[in-house]
Amino acid sequence: MEETPPPLLGSSKPHLEKLTLGVTRILESSPGVTEVTIIEKAPAERHMISSWEQKNNCVLPEDLKNFYLMTNGFHMTWSVKLDEHTIPLGSMAINSISKLTQLNQSAMYSLPNAPTLADLEDETQEASEDQPEKPHFDSRSVIFELDPCSGNGKVCLVYKKGKPASAQDAEIWFLDRALYWHFLTDTFTAYYRLLITHLGLPQWQYAFTGYGISPQAK
């Protein structure tokens, strides 16, 4: 079990200010925004990263490795006040290294001969001029969950050439609830900036899909 230190209100420490790119101050100064909270996490130890790489036969991208050496995961939330009610709204999350688990290994149901994600794959999803070749749920791709997106899909670290996987083959993709893939960025750093820029608003990842953000999210 991971220990969860008490949440920090705002960001009183310089490294947290740097980690959040100053977004806490922007949120705290916004009308109606309340309870801006960061759960501070200790840095991952180098042996934890080495152990993950050996276990999964994948090399973490350097920027993601450096992120984990600064904080073993990330979780920042904020709420809005409507009338007398406080409503949780924004959530920014990156799984810790121990929860950076492979997506395409488990069956969907714990029954014999149950379908796996690979069985449900839509082979009609081909690469187009503006999108690279999509990940596969079989051994052609290795997929790890970075952010469960509060149940609205999954942001994944995807290695496109199977195992053994090198860092330069990694990309960040969004898997929607209908199991369709949408390319986000080719580096973790670029994805992290997107996450902070969108303030963790619900379903913001759908802005990068062909069908866009739902009316409710807007």
Side-chain angles (χ1 to χ4, degrees):
M1 289 288 291
E2 293 179 11
E3 289 187 21
T4 304
L8 290 181
L9 297 175
S11 109
S12 55
K13 299 189 178 180
H15 75 280
L16 285 174
E17 186 75 12
K18 184 179 176 186
L19 185 66
T20 59
L21 309 178
V23 77
T24 45
R25 283 175 296 151
I26 295 168
L27 283 168
E28 285 168 341
S29 62
S30 301
V33 172
T34 183
E35 296 180 2
V36 181
T37 305
I38 306 170
I39 297 174
E40 187 177 11
K41 297 174 184 283
E45 296 177 19
R46 286 189 181 275
H47 73 82
M48 294 165 69
I49 293 171
S50 303
S51 172
W52 184 94
E53 290 180 326
Q54 288 172 4
K55 175 187 169 188
N56 292 289
N57 202 10
C58 297
V59 178
L60 278 179
E62 203 62 30
D63 53 357
L64 182 54
K65 201 179 292 189
N66 290 335
F67 179 83
Y68 280 131
L69 290 170
M70 186 161 56
T71 174
N72 188 10
F74 176 67
H75 194 202
M76 179 176 176
T77 58
W78 54 276
S79 302
V80 291
K81 205 164 180 66
L82 289 177
D83 301 323
E84 297 304 310
H85 302 287
T86 299
I87 301 169
L89 188 62
S91 177
M92 294 168 251
I94 303 288
N95 282 342
S96 65
I97 188 111
S98 64
K99 292 183 178 174
L100 188 64
T101 51
Q102 195 167 340
L103 195 67
N104 46 347
Q105 290 297 299
S106 59
M108 293 190 67
Y109 313 100
S110 54
L111 297 170
N113 304 317
T116 64
L117 286 170
D119 296 323
L120 302 176
E121 183 160 21
D122 182 358
E123 287 291 351
T124 62
Q125 290 191 75
E126 295 300 328
S128 61
E129 287 182 15
D130 58 339
Q131 284 237 339
E133 182 189 351
K134 290 180 166 55
H136 298 281
F137 289 120
D138 56 25
S139 60
R140 286 173 287 178
S141 303
V142 194
I143 304 163
F144 298 94
E145 182 186 298
L146 269 178
D147 177 3
C149 304
S150 305
N152 292 313
K154 293 180 187 297
V155 171
C156 299
L157 173 70
V158 177
Y159 292 89
K160 299 291 282 294
K161 295 182 180 176
K163 293 182 179 182
S166 60
Q168 59 264 33
D169 294 331
E171 295 172 345
I172 310 295
W173 286 73
F174 176 59
L175 178 66
D176 69 22
R177 293 184 65 178
L179 301 182
Y180 284 91
W181 287 105
H182 311 274
F183 178 73
L184 291 176
T185 64
D186 54 7
T187 66
F188 171 75
T189 301
Y191 168 70
Y192 185 73
R193 287 181 181 141
L194 279 183
L195 174 68
I196 296 292
T197 302
H198 288 85
L199 304 176
L201 286 163
Q203 302 178 34
W204 69 264
Q205 296 89 352
Y206 282 87
F208 295 86
T209 67
Y211 26 85
I213 295 174
S214 69
Q216 179 191 8
K218 283 182 182 176

